[in-house]
Amino acid sequence: MIAPGPTLETARLILRPTSLEDLEGFATLIGDPESARFLGGVQPRSVAWRAMAAMAGSWALQGFSMFSVIEKATGRWVGRVGPWRPEGWPGPEVGWGLLRECWGRGYATEAAAATIDWAFDHLGWTEVIHSIAPDNTPSQQVALRLGSRLLGPGKLPPPYDNTPIELWGQDRDTWRSRRP
């Protein structure tokens, strides 16, 4: 089964709603200390299932959620990227989380750009944020490549309310003025 929603394609990636077959990828992502470092820390498989189910549920309830990112060349799940706005979130976010072995390939930037386009064009968002830990330099670099700027400190809802984050982002007009 796959959650309801669109499928997007980039040059190297397929972005589709969450599917039951994604559990292994979700479990690997949050089971690896480096990959999970800025995603709430290492979590057991049961939490990976709940996180995956929350994303699938968001597709049904809100009409959007993070997309599962599939590498075209291999058909492999490599992460989740896209729009995210749970209750109490500081704004309409496009976030990303990729398996460690896929870092440094430009996948986060490629997928996030496609999902920002989609959020502005199909969800009608007028701004987008990225919630990034102050010491998460790689994600800050992705935000900069996307044209986002540091907006200042932010606060996430419980249970993450004691985790320091910075909000990065931009408005739709700024985004569109930079796109080809």
Side-chain angles (χ1 to χ4, degrees):
M1 293 210 56
I2 189 167
T7 297
L8 310 178
E9 284 195 42
T10 69
R12 301 177 297 162
L13 306 169
I14 296 169
L15 311 172
R16 62 154 172 75
T18 309
S19 171
L20 279 174
E21 70 190 46
D22 301 338
L23 179 57
E24 288 306 318
F26 272 87
T28 300
L29 180 68
I30 67 170
D32 173 64
E34 282 301 306
S35 295
R37 181 175 172 207
F38 299 113
L39 301 175
V42 171
Q43 301 291 322
R45 184 180 178 88
S46 60
V47 173
W49 188 91
R50 287 192 292 278
M52 184 186 77
M55 289 193 184
S58 182
W59 277 107
L61 296 173
Q62 294 182 294
F64 65 88
S65 187
M66 288 196 186
F67 291 85
S68 282
V69 180
I70 311 302
E71 191 176 49
K72 281 184 179 179
T74 64
R76 178 174 77 128
W77 189 97
V78 298
R80 84 291 185 278
V81 176
W84 186 239
R85 192 164 190 188
E87 176 68 26
W89 217 247
E93 178 165 23
V94 166
W96 46 85
L98 297 174
L99 298 174
R100 182 175 11 157
E101 61 265 24
C102 296
W103 293 356
R105 298 181 188 179
Y107 287 173
T109 304
E110 184 176 328
T115 61
I116 290 171
D117 279 339
W118 186 78
F120 286 150
D121 294 345
H122 297 279
L123 300 177
W125 288 5
T126 58
E127 65 180 354
V128 66
I129 64 162
H130 321 292
S131 304
I132 302 174
D135 55 342
N136 188 347
T137 304
S139 279
Q140 293 167 2
Q141 293 301 309
V142 170
L144 287 170
R145 283 191 294 278
L146 292 167
S148 291
R149 63 183 178 82
L150 178 60
L151 304 174
K155 190 159 184 76
L156 297 178
Y160 307 107
D161 50 330
N162 291 320
T163 303
I165 62 150
E166 297 173 336
L167 298 179
W168 291 70
Q170 62 188 294
D171 63 33
R172 181 174 53 204
D173 293 338
T174 302
W175 173 256
R176 287 184 175 159
S177 73
R178 298 184 67 247
R179 298 294 285 165

